[in-house]
Short mmCIF file of all heavy atoms in Angstrom, two decimals:
data_model
loop_
_atom_site.label_atom_id
_atom_site.label_comp_id
_atom_site.label_asym_id
_atom_site.label_seq_id
_atom_site.Cartn_x
_atom_site.Cartn_y
_atom_site.Cartn_z
N LEU A 75 6.41 -182.04 -240.88
CA LEU A 75 7.82 -181.59 -241.08
C LEU A 75 8.17 -181.61 -242.59
O LEU A 75 8.80 -180.66 -243.12
CB LEU A 75 8.75 -182.50 -240.32
CG LEU A 75 10.27 -182.23 -240.46
CD1 LEU A 75 10.59 -180.83 -239.96
CD2 LEU A 75 11.14 -183.28 -239.71
N TYR A 76 7.70 -182.67 -243.29
CA TYR A 76 8.00 -182.78 -244.74
C TYR A 76 7.36 -181.60 -245.46
O TYR A 76 7.96 -180.95 -246.33
CB TYR A 76 7.45 -184.07 -245.34
CG TYR A 76 7.69 -184.16 -246.79
CD1 TYR A 76 8.91 -184.59 -247.27
CD2 TYR A 76 6.67 -183.89 -247.68
CE1 TYR A 76 9.11 -184.72 -248.69
CE2 TYR A 76 6.89 -183.93 -249.02
CZ TYR A 76 8.10 -184.43 -249.52
OH TYR A 76 8.32 -184.48 -250.90
N GLN A 77 6.13 -181.23 -245.09
CA GLN A 77 5.46 -180.09 -245.71
C GLN A 77 6.16 -178.83 -245.46
O GLN A 77 6.38 -177.98 -246.35
CB GLN A 77 4.01 -180.02 -245.12
CG GLN A 77 3.13 -178.95 -245.76
CD GLN A 77 2.87 -179.15 -247.25
OE1 GLN A 77 2.78 -180.31 -247.70
NE2 GLN A 77 2.79 -178.08 -248.03
N ALA A 78 6.63 -178.61 -244.20
CA ALA A 78 7.40 -177.43 -243.89
C ALA A 78 8.70 -177.28 -244.66
O ALA A 78 9.01 -176.22 -245.16
CB ALA A 78 7.65 -177.39 -242.36
N ILE A 79 9.40 -178.44 -244.75
CA ILE A 79 10.68 -178.40 -245.53
C ILE A 79 10.40 -178.13 -247.02
O ILE A 79 11.10 -177.39 -247.66
CB ILE A 79 11.43 -179.78 -245.29
CG1 ILE A 79 11.94 -179.81 -243.88
CG2 ILE A 79 12.59 -179.89 -246.31
CD1 ILE A 79 12.63 -181.12 -243.56
N SER A 80 9.37 -178.78 -247.54
CA SER A 80 9.08 -178.63 -249.00
C SER A 80 8.72 -177.18 -249.36
O SER A 80 8.97 -176.70 -250.40
CB SER A 80 8.00 -179.59 -249.45
OG SER A 80 6.80 -179.32 -248.81
N GLU A 81 8.12 -176.49 -248.38
CA GLU A 81 7.65 -175.10 -248.60
C GLU A 81 8.84 -174.14 -248.69
O GLU A 81 8.74 -173.07 -249.28
CB GLU A 81 6.68 -174.64 -247.53
CG GLU A 81 5.29 -175.28 -247.73
CD GLU A 81 4.35 -174.98 -246.55
OE1 GLU A 81 4.78 -174.30 -245.58
OE2 GLU A 81 3.18 -175.47 -246.58
N VAL A 82 9.97 -174.51 -248.00
CA VAL A 82 11.08 -173.56 -248.03
C VAL A 82 12.25 -174.11 -248.78
O VAL A 82 13.32 -173.45 -248.88
CB VAL A 82 11.52 -173.22 -246.58
CG1 VAL A 82 10.46 -172.55 -245.81
CG2 VAL A 82 11.99 -174.48 -245.86
N ALA A 83 12.15 -175.27 -249.39
CA ALA A 83 13.28 -175.98 -250.03
C ALA A 83 13.88 -175.14 -251.19
O ALA A 83 15.07 -175.18 -251.38
CB ALA A 83 12.88 -177.32 -250.56
N ASP A 84 13.07 -174.41 -251.89
CA ASP A 84 13.59 -173.64 -253.03
C ASP A 84 14.12 -172.28 -252.61
O ASP A 84 14.60 -171.50 -253.46
CB ASP A 84 12.50 -173.50 -254.11
CG ASP A 84 12.14 -174.87 -254.66
OD1 ASP A 84 12.98 -175.73 -254.72
OD2 ASP A 84 10.98 -175.03 -255.05
N GLN A 85 13.92 -171.90 -251.38
CA GLN A 85 14.37 -170.60 -250.92
C GLN A 85 15.79 -170.70 -250.37
O GLN A 85 16.44 -171.74 -250.35
CB GLN A 85 13.45 -170.11 -249.79
CG GLN A 85 11.95 -170.04 -250.19
CD GLN A 85 11.07 -169.76 -249.02
OE1 GLN A 85 11.54 -169.32 -247.97
NE2 GLN A 85 9.74 -170.06 -249.18
N SER A 86 16.33 -169.56 -250.04
CA SER A 86 17.66 -169.51 -249.39
C SER A 86 17.62 -170.31 -248.11
O SER A 86 16.79 -170.07 -247.26
CB SER A 86 18.01 -168.06 -249.09
OG SER A 86 19.26 -168.00 -248.39
N PHE A 87 18.50 -171.34 -248.05
CA PHE A 87 18.42 -172.23 -246.91
C PHE A 87 19.71 -172.12 -246.08
O PHE A 87 20.77 -171.72 -246.54
CB PHE A 87 18.27 -173.71 -247.44
CG PHE A 87 17.48 -174.54 -246.56
CD1 PHE A 87 16.08 -174.43 -246.57
CD2 PHE A 87 18.03 -175.40 -245.69
CE1 PHE A 87 15.27 -175.18 -245.73
CE2 PHE A 87 17.32 -176.20 -244.82
CZ PHE A 87 15.91 -176.09 -244.87
N SER A 88 19.63 -172.48 -244.83
CA SER A 88 20.77 -172.48 -243.93
C SER A 88 20.68 -173.62 -242.91
O SER A 88 19.52 -174.09 -242.65
CB SER A 88 20.82 -171.19 -243.18
OG SER A 88 19.73 -170.99 -242.27
N LYS A 91 18.27 -172.56 -240.13
CA LYS A 91 16.83 -172.63 -240.43
C LYS A 91 16.36 -174.06 -240.36
O LYS A 91 15.27 -174.35 -239.77
CB LYS A 91 16.55 -172.11 -241.87
CG LYS A 91 15.12 -171.95 -242.18
CD LYS A 91 14.89 -171.49 -243.59
CE LYS A 91 15.27 -169.99 -243.72
NZ LYS A 91 14.94 -169.44 -245.08
N LEU A 92 17.15 -175.02 -240.89
CA LEU A 92 16.77 -176.45 -240.81
C LEU A 92 16.81 -176.92 -239.35
O LEU A 92 15.90 -177.65 -238.94
CB LEU A 92 17.69 -177.24 -241.64
CG LEU A 92 17.39 -178.78 -241.71
CD1 LEU A 92 15.99 -179.06 -242.21
CD2 LEU A 92 18.43 -179.52 -242.60
N MET A 95 13.61 -175.92 -237.67
CA MET A 95 12.47 -176.71 -238.06
C MET A 95 12.46 -178.09 -237.44
O MET A 95 11.43 -178.56 -236.94
CB MET A 95 12.49 -176.85 -239.63
CG MET A 95 12.19 -175.57 -240.33
SD MET A 95 12.48 -175.67 -242.10
CE MET A 95 11.07 -176.60 -242.56
N LEU A 146 15.02 -183.03 -250.81
CA LEU A 146 14.54 -181.68 -251.16
C LEU A 146 15.67 -180.64 -250.86
O LEU A 146 15.55 -179.48 -251.32
CB LEU A 146 13.32 -181.33 -250.32
CG LEU A 146 12.06 -182.17 -250.47
CD1 LEU A 146 11.05 -181.82 -249.37
CD2 LEU A 146 11.50 -182.02 -251.91
N LEU A 147 16.71 -181.04 -250.15
CA LEU A 147 17.67 -180.04 -249.66
C LEU A 147 19.09 -180.28 -250.26
O LEU A 147 19.37 -181.34 -250.73
CB LEU A 147 17.76 -180.19 -248.10
CG LEU A 147 16.45 -179.99 -247.36
CD1 LEU A 147 16.64 -180.29 -245.89
CD2 LEU A 147 15.96 -178.55 -247.53
#
Side-chain angles (χ1 to χ4, degrees):
L75 179 60
Y76 179 82
Q77 184 63 33
I79 290 175
S80 64
E81 285 172 3
V82 298
D84 295 331
Q85 302 171 19
S86 175
F87 214 79
S88 68
K91 188 181 289 185
L92 181 57
M95 292 170 72
L146 299 169
L147 303 173

